[in-house]
Amino acid sequence: MLKLQDIVKHIACRVIILLNIALILVYASVYPDDIIRLPVRLVASQPYISEYDIRTLLPVQSSFDILLQRGKVIRGPRFTIYTVGMSVALAGDMLLRSEYPVTRMQGEILIPLDIALPMITILLEGYSVSLQGNSIMVKKEAVGEQEKPKDIKPVPHVSKDAIGFIVVDAGHGGKDPGAIGKSGIKEKLLTLQIARQVALELQKRLPGVDVVMTRTTDKFLELGERTEIANRLLKKGVNGIFVSIHCNAAVVSKISGFETYYLSQNPSNEEARTTAVLENNVIVFESPEKRKRYSDVDIIEALMLNTQIQKESFMLASAIQKGLDKNITEFKSKGVKKADFFVLRGCLMPSALVEVGYITNPKEKGFLTDTNYQKKLARGITEGIMSFIDTYNKTVLNN
Ligand SMILES: [Zn+2]
């Protein structure tokens, strides 16, 4: 038989449990668990956010390509891409910039705060993201019936920086000879000679701008490595230009002339498409895992960047072609064209590919091997680049 005392004890016990549940419910409503705090880490007194914290604390998905040292953070249709060692990251069609690169410390990836904050803001639509003290605070925005008209979202400011460097890329090299002329002359040799002349001319006429060559010897470089060299030079306050030098080839030897390309998924015409296919053939020399990339991340990147950088790339290609038109009278100007060149994909700055002439045309090949003509080409390309920088920097200063 139950004593009254036991019954009271039993009831008291239940009441305490119920009270506890009530307390938890009240607590949960006051401190909703959708407030997420990401601590800022200081490394060499620079603020970073840990990629691990982003991946584990936020409602996002992520992946990391060890080969490329490139990570993706995804939420629904939105995603961002960062690369270890690079001071810029992609978010949608925007380029986020920092003065410091994404780094790796003891296996952990650290993203500079000035990249991480806009990155999280862009990914987490419907959340309020703010920097409070030494943390990024992420809070789900309340969806009430009488929701106030939404404030205009603080869109991360994307700075347009003046051109501080030019990367001159000599097409092909090493085990990849490029096109081969009838006499056995290889494109890789001519592109290197002409790229050298371009670099010299640029250094002479643009002393304030850094000029970097992707190769200065007969060395094999994968297509991705070429733009990677350029992308790694980007940082907050410094933009750049990427120019790739090539010689064209045709089955019909009488075809001649020079043309400048910018990247597009839609080639200008059949000839432009063929030129791109020829230049893209180099991927047969690349490792199979890397070859796979051209159908994945790089395509996505290329698509994303179309809107932002394509216009500038068109401006650059047009200026270069104009510069060549002024300097070269020996052969036909074939104008500005667009095509899908893998080497230009994933380039995070204005870029162009110059086909300086046909190695398969005996007369033009003769000129292409002549130092004086190479210098003329270099002058044309340099004047084009100078005119582009002039216009570009003016729009930067006006913004
Ligand atoms: Zn080529």
Side-chain angles (χ1 to χ4, degrees):
M1 204 178 84
L2 281 168
K3 285 184 194 159
L4 184 67
Q5 212 181 346
D6 285 340
I7 292 168
V8 169
K9 249 190 196 167
H10 187 77
I11 290 169
C13 224
R14 287 284 160 95
V15 167
I16 285 166
I17 289 168
L18 283 170
L19 272 173
N20 267 332
I21 292 170
L23 244 162
I24 288 165
L25 286 172
V26 167
Y27 184 86
S29 67
V30 175
Y31 298 99
D33 57 2
D34 55 8
I35 294 182
I36 305 159
R37 186 183 150 266
L38 290 97
V40 173
R41 313 268 193 89
L42 288 178
V43 177
S45 69
Q46 291 309 320
Y48 292 89
I49 297 292
S50 158
E51 180 271 341
Y52 177 82
D53 287 345
I54 293 175
R55 170 158 49 91
T56 54
L57 299 175
L58 299 178
V60 294
Q61 287 167 308
S62 72
S63 63
F64 190 76
D65 184 328
I66 297 167
L67 203 73
L68 291 167
Q69 289 290 301
R70 180 183 292 175
K72 244 193 205 180
V73 188
I74 310 152
R75 182 169 174 262
R78 292 161 179 250
F79 63 93
T80 59
I81 299 172
Y82 63 86
T83 308
V84 174
M86 264 175 58
S87 309
V88 292
L90 287 168
D93 60 356
M94 267 192 288
L95 203 57
L96 309 174
R97 293 158 173 274
S98 173
E99 279 171 56
Y100 307 94
V102 175
T103 46
R104 248 192 133 140
M105 269 188 76
Q106 290 151 358
E108 200 173 357
I109 296 159
L110 298 171
I111 300 172
L113 179 64
D114 44 9
I115 285 179
L117 188 62
M119 183 192 245
I120 295 167
T121 310
I122 288 164
L123 285 169
L124 298 187
E125 203 200 8
Y127 287 74
S128 81
V129 180
S130 59
L131 185 67
Q132 287 174 34
N134 55 359
S135 298
I136 289 184
M137 303 299 277
V138 178
K139 189 180 166 240
K140 188 146 199 167
E141 279 168 357
V143 190
E145 296 107 61
Q146 312 129 326
E147 202 180 345
K148 281 183 272 170
K150 269 210 171 151
D151 290 335
I152 297 156
K153 275 230 154 205
V155 177
H157 179 68
V158 180
S159 62
K160 228 184 150 192
D161 300 307
I163 304 293
F165 67 88
I166 301 162
V167 174
V168 182
D169 174 49
H172 313 277
K175 61 184 170 184
D176 167 26
I180 300 173
K182 259 197 182 144
S183 59
I185 185 124
K186 289 168 183 161
E187 182 188 352
K188 65 172 183 177
L189 173 76
L190 293 179
T191 58
L192 183 57
Q193 288 175 353
I194 295 162
R196 275 213 188 100
Q197 296 293 351
V198 173
L200 282 172
E201 188 72 11
L202 284 169
Q203 277 161 345
K204 199 167 79 187
R205 299 182 66 178
L206 287 167
V209 177
D210 288 335
V211 179
V212 178
M213 289 182 74
T214 52
R215 68 179 180 98
T216 52
T217 56
D218 183 20
K219 173 173 117 179
F220 177 74
L221 277 172
E222 291 183 344
L223 293 177
E225 286 178 79
R226 296 170 190 268
T227 41
E228 189 82 356
I229 290 169
N231 287 344
R232 280 176 191 271
L233 296 171
L234 283 174
K235 59 181 184 176
K236 196 184 254 172
V238 182
N239 204 352
I241 289 174
F242 180 85
V243 178
S244 193
I245 310 284
H246 288 260
C247 301
N248 221 331
V251 185
V252 184
S253 66
K254 67 172 183 193
I255 295 177
S256 66
F258 53 92
E259 59 201 4
T260 312
Y261 283 89
Y262 65 100
L263 178 71
S264 168
Q265 266 68 51
N266 311 305
S268 305
N269 54 29
E270 195 49 37
E271 198 187 29
R273 198 192 65 83
T274 312
T275 303
V277 168
L278 269 175
E279 298 294 7
N280 293 343
N281 263 341
V282 53
I283 63 164
V284 301
F285 294 104
E286 301 189 0
S287 54
E289 318 90 72
K290 289 203 173 177
R291 224 180 296 163
K292 219 171 52 199
R293 285 174 4 214
Y294 296 108
S295 54
D296 175 28
V297 180
D298 296 68
I299 284 182
I300 297 162
E301 272 187 8
L303 288 173
M304 276 199 305
L305 290 167
N306 262 355
T307 46
Q308 193 197 1
I309 297 173
Q310 200 179 44
K311 268 187 212 158
E312 291 162 3
S313 296
F314 169 70
M315 271 171 61
L316 175 64
S318 306
I320 290 175
Q321 188 67 18
K322 228 181 193 172
L324 285 170
D325 289 350
K326 274 188 203 155
N327 284 273
I328 307 293
T329 48
E330 293 85 344
F331 297 96
K332 194 174 92 183
S333 167
K334 293 165 73 88
V336 176
K337 291 178 185 168
K338 51 180 181 156
D340 190 6
F341 290 93
F342 290 177
V343 68
L344 300 181
R345 282 185 186 179
C347 191
L348 305 176
M349 66 202 80
S351 64
L353 185 145
V354 191
E355 293 282 0
V356 291
Y358 281 79
I359 201 171
T360 43
N361 178 290
K363 187 186 164 204
E364 201 165 28
K365 186 217 80 189
F367 274 82
L368 290 172
T369 50
D370 173 57
T371 313
N372 282 325
Y373 189 72
Q374 291 177 352
K375 283 184 178 162
K376 258 175 116 174
L377 286 167
R379 225 174 295 140
I381 293 167
T382 299
E383 281 168 16
I385 291 173
M386 285 167 71
S387 138
F388 169 79
I389 292 180
D390 201 44
T391 318
Y392 182 89
N393 284 356
K394 264 180 207 152
T395 65
V396 173
L397 293 173
N398 290 339
N399 275 342

Coordinates of all heavy atoms in Angstrom, one line a residue, residues 171-172 178-179 187 191 245-247 279 355, ligand 1:
G171 N 52.8 30.7 -75.1 CA 52.0 29.5 -75.3 C 52.9 28.3 -75.5 O 54.0 28.4 -76.0
H172 N 52.4 27.1 -75.0 CA 53.0 25.8 -75.2 C 54.4 25.7 -74.5 O 54.7 26.6 -73.6 CB 53.1 25.4 -76.6 CG 51.8 25.7 -77.4 ND1 50.8 24.8 -77.4 CD2 51.4 26.8 -78.0 CE1 49.8 25.3 -78.0 NE2 50.1 26.5 -78.4
G178 N 53.2 22.8 -79.6 CA 52.2 23.7 -80.3 C 52.2 23.3 -81.8 O 52.5 22.2 -82.1
A179 N 51.8 24.3 -82.6 CA 51.7 24.1 -84.0 C 53.1 23.9 -84.6 O 54.1 24.5 -84.1 CB 51.0 25.2 -84.7
E187 N 55.9 26.2 -82.7 CA 55.2 27.4 -82.2 C 55.8 27.8 -80.8 O 55.9 28.9 -80.5 CB 53.7 27.0 -82.0 CG 52.9 28.2 -81.5 CD 51.4 27.8 -81.2 OE1 51.0 26.7 -81.5 OE2 50.7 28.7 -80.6
T191 N 56.6 31.6 -79.7 CA 55.8 32.3 -78.7 C 56.7 32.8 -77.6 O 56.5 33.8 -77.0 CB 54.7 31.3 -78.1 OG1 55.4 30.2 -77.6 CG2 53.7 31.0 -79.1
I245 N 50.3 34.4 -75.6 CA 50.8 34.6 -77.0 C 50.9 33.3 -77.7 O 51.4 32.3 -77.2 CB 52.2 35.2 -77.0 CG1 52.3 36.5 -76.1 CG2 52.8 35.5 -78.4 CD1 51.7 37.7 -76.6
H246 N 50.3 33.3 -78.9 CA 50.2 32.0 -79.7 C 50.4 32.3 -81.2 O 50.3 33.5 -81.6 CB 48.9 31.3 -79.5 CG 48.7 30.7 -78.2 ND1 48.9 29.3 -78.0 CD2 48.4 31.2 -77.0 CE1 48.8 29.1 -76.7 NE2 48.5 30.2 -76.1
C247 N 50.8 31.2 -81.9 CA 50.8 31.3 -83.4 C 49.7 30.4 -83.9 O 49.5 29.3 -83.4 CB 52.1 30.9 -83.9 SG 53.5 31.8 -83.3
E279 N 44.2 24.9 -79.9 CA 45.0 25.4 -78.7 C 44.7 24.5 -77.5 O 45.5 24.3 -76.6 CB 44.7 26.8 -78.4 CG 45.1 27.8 -79.6 CD 46.6 27.9 -79.8 OE1 47.4 27.1 -79.2 OE2 47.0 28.7 -80.6
E355 N 46.8 35.6 -81.4 CA 47.3 34.7 -82.4 C 48.1 35.7 -83.3 O 47.5 36.3 -84.1 CB 46.2 34.0 -83.1 CG 45.4 33.0 -82.3 CD 46.1 31.6 -82.1 OE1 47.2 31.5 -82.6 OE2 45.5 30.8 -81.4
Ligands
ZN1 ZN 49.1 27.9 -79.5

